[in-house]
Amino acid sequence: MAGSRDGELQALIFNGENYKFWSIRMKTIFKSHGLWELVEKGIESSNSKGADEFDAKKKEKEELSGARKMILTEILMKDAKALGLI
């Protein structure tokens, strides 16, 4: 089961049983952190995965300015937070 750490919900590890409960719980956790849309839609990328994708995102981030840079930073932070919850 998920416990609380510093008042935050933690993701459950799926053990192969009770998928319906697990999936509802996971969706609730991601929604409570404002991450569900990211889970459903992901991050658009035309590059390959892994280090190349990270490097491309980093380069793109450096080339952006102002508001677009802040938006990209927020999306990348949400992505990292979602991975951390998993």
Side-chain angles (χ1 to χ4, degrees):
M1 280 289 168
S4 288
R5 178 183 59 180
D6 300 328
E8 288 193 26
L9 295 171
Q10 293 179 352
L12 297 172
I13 296 174
F14 182 61
N15 65 4
E17 297 179 7
N18 206 355
Y19 173 79
K20 188 168 184 165
F21 171 77
W22 176 84
S23 66
I24 291 170
R25 178 72 177 181
M26 292 298 292
K27 187 173 183 177
T28 301
I29 290 169
F30 284 114
K31 281 186 172 187
S32 73
H33 288 280
L35 302 170
W36 184 245
E37 184 176 332
L38 182 65
V39 171
E40 285 189 316
K41 295 182 180 180
I43 297 175
E44 289 186 28
S45 176
S46 60
N47 301 313
S48 62
K49 300 202 181 288
D52 292 338
E53 182 178 356
F54 178 78
D55 290 340
K57 285 179 185 178
K58 185 176 177 183
K59 183 178 179 183
E60 180 182 350
K61 183 179 171 185
E62 291 170 355
E63 293 172 356
L64 296 175
S65 62
R68 290 189 67 201
K69 187 174 182 179
M70 289 174 53
I71 291 169
L72 180 59
T73 299
E74 182 180 330
I75 291 170
L76 293 174
M77 287 175 58
K78 284 184 175 184
D79 184 53
K81 186 173 183 177
L83 288 173
L85 285 170
I86 292 172

